[in-house]
Amino acid sequence: MTKPLILSVPEPRSLDLIFSTAARRDLHARYDVLEIETDEIEDLADDTLGRIHYIIGQPALSQETLTRMKALRCIFNVESNLINNMPYDHLFERGIHVVTTGAVFAEPVAELGVAMALCLARDVVAADQAFKDGTETWGGESNNNAQLLSRSDIGIIGFGDLGRALTRLLIGFRANISVYDPWLPPSLLVEAGVSPASLDNVLRENDTIFVVASVTEENRGFLNASAFAKMRKGSRFILLSRSDVVNFEDLTDAVQSGHILAASDVFPEEPMPTDHPVRNMKGFLRSAHRAGALDTAFKNMGQMVMEDLDLLDRGLPPIRSKRAERETVARMRSKPVNKN
Amino acid sequence: MTKPLILSVPEPRSLDLIFSTAARRDLHARYDVLEIETDEIEDLADDTLGRIHYIIGQPALSQETLTRMKALRCIFNVESNLINNMPYDHLFERGIHVVTTGAVFAEPVAELGVAMALCLARDVVAADQAFKDGTETWGGESNNNAQLLSRSDIGIIGFGDLGRALTRLLIGFRANISVYDPWLPPSLLVEAGVSPASLDNVLRENDTIFVVASVTEENRGFLNASAFAKMRKGSRFILLSRSDVVNFEDLTDAVQSGHILAASDVFPEEPMPTDHPVRNMKGFLRSAHRAGALDTAFKNMGQMVMEDLDLLDRGLPPIRSKRAERETVARMRSKPVNKN
Amino acid sequence: MTKPLILSVPEPRSLDLIFSTAARRDLHARYDVLEIETDEIEDLADDTLGRIHYIIGQPALSQETLTRMKALRCIFNVESNLINNMPYDHLFERGIHVVTTGAVFAEPVAELGVAMALCLARDVVAADQAFKDGTETWGGESNNNAQLLSRSDIGIIGFGDLGRALTRLLIGFRANISVYDPWLPPSLLVEAGVSPASLDNVLRENDTIFVVASVTEENRGFLNASAFAKMRKGSRFILLSRSDVVNFEDLTDAVQSGHILAASDVFPEEPMPTDHPVRNMKGFLRSAHRAGALDTAFKNMGQMVMEDLDLLDRGLPPIRSKRAERETVARMRSKPVNKN
Amino acid sequence: MTKPLILSVPEPRSLDLIFSTAARRDLHARYDVLEIETDEIEDLADDTLGRIHYIIGQPALSQETLTRMKALRCIFNVESNLINNMPYDHLFERGIHVVTTGAVFAEPVAELGVAMALCLARDVVAADQAFKDGTETWGGESNNNAQLLSRSDIGIIGFGDLGRALTRLLIGFRANISVYDPWLPPSLLVEAGVSPASLDNVLRENDTIFVVASVTEENRGFLNASAFAKMRKGSRFILLSRSDVVNFEDLTDAVQSGHILAASDVFPEEPMPTDHPVRNMKGFLRSAHRAGALDTAFKNMGQMVMEDLDLLDRGLPPIRSKRAERETVARMRSKPVNKN
């Protein structure tokens, strides 16, 4: 009996990155896996194309090629930023699922986010540096600007997997969490234990603000000088999703002026120019796009794919990965990553 | 009508440190407050001593002087480390409560502890420094030793207010928490949602170990080379209570050798000598005894005192502060603090 | 400016049942609402049909009629049991959402489920009746078969909205919850805080079993004599979803024999024949399909519809209601309700 | 080597009731256990009395006899209602702990309390009876007065172990819980996740009120006609602690009049007279003092005693049982139980 065929083009990920040895063995036991370059796909024989049930990766695909993939059921986009390189309408019409696996990054990114929030609230990094330098201040004198996260006001902008992961990690802190997400109905936020709020209120009424919103065509640069000016003096701004939602120069100005503190895992250029002022800025905690890329996260991707393959094999819809939506797929504008 | 008399000798704290303006006003409205130096107490007239209902502070007191304080009901030790400078047996016989207010530090210390755990698990401080230096590594390559706190194995040594605060903050991380505390029955730990364990198991089977035990006569230096050797390679040791429970040289050796990572808020000498190797040690995160001393914590002390005074005034036992116990008061050996 | 047109055929619900006065006012302010009988729809003018954006209800619709509804975006099935009375494939191809609002019943049904579990575990109903009759037993003697829910073993069969609501309500009971749901991947159950298990294990290893599974073509009557025989002696079986998943005669036999206790909100005939033995059976707690039908649940339906209309109006997908899936819509076999 | 001597007079409990076979074996392995009648104690030889370290039970004891018990460290009152039958001041002066084990009942009583609350909110008992009688109403028509516990307003009067257990069980219901307890400071209630409130507010502003307060000299009958009149029309009153805190006739009047619903586990006479109107009263759910007396609760008592004995043997204070307090021991006025 033939096994279902999987077309594998997962770059920049590799199957070895996303599957543990055991999972990879399991994958090959259950499926035929055709590893190939994107530009070779259209040259495959109709017979081969017609046997493809699943694609792992995000290759550019024409409607013509897709039409020849008569058995196609699901495309697992393991890069997870949806590029406009295939006719999504055609896929949706045929009921072919396009799913992303980016949810695996939610937990590691959220943990780094909490680390950043605590570091800024307690000046952890500078205090360690001072200790190294022999200039440390002992006891309460160094805590004049210190603040607890417990019972503080926390804002979250964007409430996808990452916003939810943050909320979960923060449960024990019993904070007052308000959320701005125009794509979600208020009652769903209430059910998740947070308060729905306008962007303006989230900016004005919090001690810590986490930005975990996706970039879309509409929201590029919406966090700008005017937004930062609304924030409480001395409050913390933590950027975890994509730098394009922020006007980065306005952000560094707001930190430079002493109005707010900030931390970021993402930057408008990666790497940033060596002479960029953010590199030496006081009150800015830097992370070189390393929040999500843990090996455990990549291996969770593989598990996610295996679990959804199992459902699909049994004629059920995938549920572990996140489905692209007809309405929003065209709006997403995150840049694809070029490294893991 | 006369108000109850409070004897106030709170050094090194001051009433202004522990009471907000409003709370201080309330204190004076409800009580006569006699502020005095310790060595002046015994010279007070019998009549005055006989009117003292409460003491705020931890002055040295002879049994003779205490006997003259016929109305004494409670001593609020706001320094919170019990020194052997008064006849506790005499106090307990008379049913005079001796209470400490150190529980206010549990939450701020626990928050710094979580910050430290996340910083060590994700190399936050060195990654920021590298970014400053222009030597940062982008993406997953810098995460080879990174680990999530979520679902990890976490050990806690000592389970007083601070251990409980840590456990609460960590709820959202869904970690597997095991606790060693020989003063507590196992079922009470189970009820608190943690697993009772031997010291040996806590040392051997965790990714992160928080030390929040008090110093007693029996446990001085019990965390030594042998203990550190039992820890998992690459695991994290976080010292939050008192440095005397640790053999500090053994600790720095264990970090220096690369066996474990560590963070500490307390040190055998404060300040540490300027040439002490811990100041420049890789894998060691330093905090100059600043974990608990937040203004909000001190003000909570004042609230704690006011709430217990209210209960005592109504003939009820104090419940917000922590009572010293006949059995253990003599065993506690924390050094008193000389700064806040 | 014209408002979007809604076709309203919500029987057996009515707009007054599902919308509060305020919500109904809001509905009419934002939409033109055409209330009509199902058999009148096809006779509507093309122009009218072409203006319909949304349908509230589940009218039988031919592909021809649907084709004339060129602006149709979403069908809100407020009855919530999907009948095979419209060409779903056609709808899915066009990207028209078919959503159900049955999630509003999850919480009230779950609450009754917890009530039933506690009543069976503590013999609440018979003890009250005995007290009425003057035959009550005082104190512990009546508790020989009593069991706590706290820390007990609880099984859940089916893990949709209702299974999740149950799990949430039970958090405080710290029970050991295992779940059988073949439509869900194990990791998702783990993330929800429950243990994935086989049907066999759920049956064999629990003190209380909640059945909240939907009826499909495959699972009709799968809980039968063989299943009940696997259950622990004296354990409790609580049926909350649909009676068709159970062989009802086998269930009553298992209760009659004293092997298990049971409670049910659903019955193979509603009303059951007046002489049916379940009416007088000891160890069986009866509820006449009244678990979900609370006014607050119906009003939540209206809120759900309004929130999803708001998203749809802004070009976003509905998220509050639950979407029918191409893969499973044909498998669902719940009977539609004929009363609220 | 001699083992410590325990004097055992646990009536109305027996050692077999409170110790499992294994725990009882452990008890005898670690201790000499002298089982004796109360009136034989004073006749024991000085040598024997002088060897008694612990007492399990609540025998009447004169100061003279106690003085002869020179090694006495702790009295485990397993009946748990403190009777005024020994000189407590003398015990407290000597630092002899008097502890009660009633906390074991908190969880079973709280579970029955939640069962009662859900039964009243959903009319579970009468609906089952109607089904038996063939007069049941199907579907939503029977739910006109139904209410969810989720997100409802819940009041708790008294916040000891039982109030805390209730609060824990209710976590998943996300209710708005307000508490009246004059013996506790407000901040402690806030920390426990509930809102401190006046008695008046608790009565006026809740849908369900749980009474779990102890009886004291001051509060006998404080829940009377005036209190019930303040309650919301149709709200539920659930009495779980002691009937003496309630004016029972006023309570039945309030139920009879249709103003409130009620449930009770305790009654002014136990058993109640066979012709007492509460036996047939609609809107009253009856339980014949059976809420706490589960075998698992009694066995937890034994575990509690064993764990505290272990601490005491090591020179530590007991922590699992609850200590009687000098200030309040004289105020408690629960009647001792005469059956388990």
Side-chain angles (χ1 to χ4, degrees), chain C residues 24-42:
Chain C
R24 181 115 196 229
R25 197 177 307 126
D26 191 21
L27 178 78
H28 290 281
R30 288 163 52 188
Y31 305 96
D32 283 332
V33 179
L34 179 60
E35 296 193 67
I36 200 174
E37 298 298 313
T38 293
D39 55 12
E40 302 168 326
I41 299 174
E42 63 180 322

Side-chain angles (χ1 to χ4, degrees), chain B residues 40-298:
Chain B
E40 301 169 325
I41 300 173
E42 63 180 320
D43 299 331
L44 289 171
D46 276 359
D47 179 58
T48 306
L49 285 175
R51 277 186 52 222
I52 294 170
H53 278 63
Y54 311 113
I55 297 175
I56 298 178
Q58 179 174 218
L61 290 170
S62 67
Q63 180 160 340
E64 194 195 336
T65 307
L66 283 166
T67 304
R68 295 164 65 206
M69 297 182 179
K70 292 183 197 309
L72 187 62
R73 295 283 315 282
C74 184
I75 298 175
F76 290 91
N77 181 342
V78 292
E79 199 276 327
S80 298
N81 296 296
L82 292 156
I83 316 173
N84 198 10
N85 68 350
M86 54 182 85
Y88 289 110
D89 279 345
H90 169 81
L91 293 166
F92 290 130
E93 264 176 46
R94 288 177 53 193
I96 296 166
H97 297 287
V98 179
V99 301
T100 59
T101 55
V104 298
F105 299 125
E107 193 172 75
V109 175
E111 287 207 6
L112 192 72
V114 174
M116 287 168 157
L118 289 167
C119 282
L120 293 182
R122 301 297 288 275
D123 206 18
V124 171
V125 178
D128 177 73
Q129 184 63 48
F131 206 129
K132 262 174 151 165
D133 299 343
T135 60
E136 78 277 11
T137 306
W138 289 82
E141 280 170 53
S142 73
N143 285 331
N144 289 339
N145 298 313
Q147 204 192 342
L148 293 180
L149 220 54
S150 291
R151 290 176 308 283
S152 71
D153 298 320
I154 294 179
I156 300 181
I157 296 176
F159 203 69
D161 295 309
L162 181 42
R164 288 178 179 274
L166 265 174
T167 301
R168 174 165 66 72
L169 295 185
L170 292 169
I171 290 173
F173 292 83
R174 298 176 183 174
N176 168 31
I177 301 181
S178 58
V179 169
Y180 170 69
D181 190 324
W183 290 17
L184 294 181
S187 67
L188 199 141
L189 296 176
V190 170
E191 206 167 85
V194 299
S195 305
S198 67
L199 175 59
D200 205 65
N201 280 356
V202 166
L203 289 167
R204 287 185 195 283
E205 296 171 12
N206 286 296
D207 304 309
T208 309
I209 295 175
F210 292 98
V211 179
V212 292
S214 303
V215 196
T216 65
E217 302 206 317
E218 294 90 6
N219 74 3
R220 203 179 293 273
F222 77 109
L223 296 164
N224 55 20
S226 151
F228 301 127
K230 291 174 185 168
M231 288 178 63
R232 287 181 181 165
K233 168 88 182 144
S235 63
R236 279 85 59 189
F237 181 89
I238 294 168
L239 177 57
L240 296 171
S241 51
R242 290 286 178 259
S243 68
D244 279 0
V245 297
V246 166
N247 180 317
F248 205 79
E249 199 175 327
D250 289 0
L251 173 58
T252 51
D253 285 352
V255 173
Q256 187 77 56
S257 75
H259 181 57
I260 59 171
L261 303 172
S264 186
D265 185 56
V266 288
F267 295 86
E269 293 174 72
E270 299 187 352
M272 286 294 268
T274 48
D275 60 350
H276 194 283
V278 78
R279 289 191 178 271
N280 261 295
M281 193 167 285
K282 244 189 89 176
F284 203 113
L285 179 60
R286 292 147 291 250
S287 170
H289 211 140
R290 52 199 292 282
L294 269 69
D295 187 60
T296 50
F298 291 119

Side-chain angles (χ1 to χ4, degrees), chain A residues 97 187 307 320 323 327, chain C residues 97 187 307 320 325 327:
Chain A
H97 297 287
S187 67
E307 289 194 328
R320 200 80 187 88
R323 287 189 233 169
E327 286 89 345
Chain C
H97 296 289
S187 67
E307 289 194 328
R320 200 79 188 89
E325 301 272 4
E327 287 91 342

Side-chain angles (χ1 to χ4, degrees), chain C residues 48-59:
Chain C
T48 306
L49 285 175
R51 277 185 53 223
I52 294 170
H53 278 63
Y54 311 114
I55 298 174
I56 296 178
Q58 179 173 217

Side-chain angles (χ1 to χ4, degrees), chain C residues 127-188:
Chain C
D128 177 73
Q129 184 64 47
F131 206 129
K132 263 176 152 163
D133 299 343
T135 61
E136 78 277 9
T137 306
W138 289 81
E141 279 170 54
S142 73
N143 285 331
N144 290 338
N145 298 314
Q147 205 192 343
L148 293 180
L149 221 52
S150 291
R151 290 178 308 285
S152 71
D153 298 321
I154 294 179
I156 301 181
I157 296 177
F159 202 69
D161 294 310
L162 181 42
R164 287 178 180 273
L166 264 174
T167 301
R168 175 165 65 70
L169 294 186
L170 292 170
I171 290 173
F173 292 83
R174 299 179 183 170
N176 168 32
I177 302 181
S178 57
V179 169
Y180 170 69
D181 191 324
W183 290 18
L184 294 182
S187 67
L188 200 140

Side-chain angles (χ1 to χ4, degrees), chain A residues 187, chain C residues 10-20 23 27 56-57 76-81 99-106 108 292-309 320-322 337 339-340:
Chain A
S187 67
Chain C
E11 70 256 9
R13 322 272 188 235
S14 67
L15 292 188
D16 281 342
L17 181 72
I18 65 178
F19 289 97
S20 66
L27 178 78
I56 296 178
F76 290 90
N77 180 343
V78 291
E79 198 276 327
S80 299
N81 295 297
V99 300
T100 58
T101 54
V104 298
F105 298 125
L294 270 68
D295 187 60
T296 51
F298 291 119
K299 296 301 180 280
N300 279 344
M301 257 187 201
Q303 185 202 30
M304 207 176 241
V305 171
M306 291 305 286
E307 289 194 328
D308 273 341
L309 284 171
R320 200 79 188 89
S321 322
K322 184 185 198 119
V337 298
K339 62 188 303 173
N340 292 309

